Amino acid sequence: FDLEYRAAEGIERMRVGTPPILHLSVLDAALDIWDEVAIEDLRRCSVELSERFVEGVEAACPQLELASPRNAAERGSQISFRFSQGYPAMQALIDRGVIGDFRAPDIMRFGFAPLYVTPEDVDKAIGILDTVINQRVYEEARYQTRRAVT
């Protein structure tokens, strides 16, 4: 070891030598739930939630086009829809508590984590999406400014 501290260049300077033990103990406790979860059950719930979302969005917002594979066996726990006004629509959704992200040029992406997302959460998100799209909430000026991150 050198006697003089020299910060590393760039992001490397954020590294630390000793892990934060208190933080890791909390993480360890949070991971205990996985001892009670079968991965097959988790996947089944993920598929059920995402299928519910696809069906609900397609019924409520036919102007959105499914960009994810329709076959659940060909996708993970995310659903993407194409919409020409996807960026401002996602901003409006985030303002209303539906957190997703946007990928240029027109992809609105939503994730489903079955350990804490419920069918009721999915139904609520569909209702909010219905309002944002069909009432054209996304046209409000405050949603038109592009930010660096969705």
Side-chain angles (χ1 to χ4, degrees):
F1 291 110
D2 291 335
L3 295 178
E4 300 295 321
Y5 172 75
R6 290 185 315 257
E9 294 295 318
I11 193 67
E12 291 294 317
R13 75 179 51 208
M14 301 306 291
R15 282 183 161 181
V16 294
T18 304
I21 301 304
L22 291 176
H23 297 145
L24 290 177
S25 67
V26 172
L27 174 60
D28 184 51
L31 293 174
D32 287 344
I33 189 68
W34 288 100
D35 293 337
E36 301 173 27
V37 175
I39 195 69
E40 298 81 17
D41 293 338
L42 191 64
R43 176 63 180 153
R44 180 184 44 75
C45 289
S46 168
V47 169
E48 289 171 4
L49 292 170
S50 60
E51 290 292 317
R52 183 183 196 106
F53 187 71
V54 169
E55 290 173 19
V57 170
E58 288 184 329
C61 306
Q63 58 275 60
L64 274 60
E65 174 192 350
L66 182 65
S68 298
R70 188 162 297 279
N71 181 353
E74 297 175 6
R75 65 174 190 252
S77 295
Q78 294 182 345
I79 297 294
S80 296
F81 281 94
R82 291 187 186 285
F83 182 53
S84 63
Q85 298 300 309
Y87 182 86
M90 186 57 70
Q91 296 306 304
L93 288 167
I94 291 169
D95 261 4
R96 287 157 179 78
V98 177
I99 308 301
D101 67 359
F102 174 77
R103 295 289 187 255
D106 61 357
I107 299 289
M108 295 171 37
R109 188 171 68 167
F110 305 88
F112 299 90
L115 284 180
Y116 55 85
V117 174
T118 66
E120 293 77 23
D121 294 330
V122 172
D123 293 343
K124 183 176 178 183
I126 293 165
I128 293 169
L129 185 58
D130 180 5
T131 299
V132 166
I133 299 299
N134 293 312
Q135 294 181 16
R136 303 173 77 92
V137 174
Y138 59 86
E139 291 181 344
E140 293 179 21
R142 63 186 166 148
Y143 301 126
Q144 302 303 312
T145 303
R146 294 263 178 151
R147 300 179 185 147
V149 178
T150 348

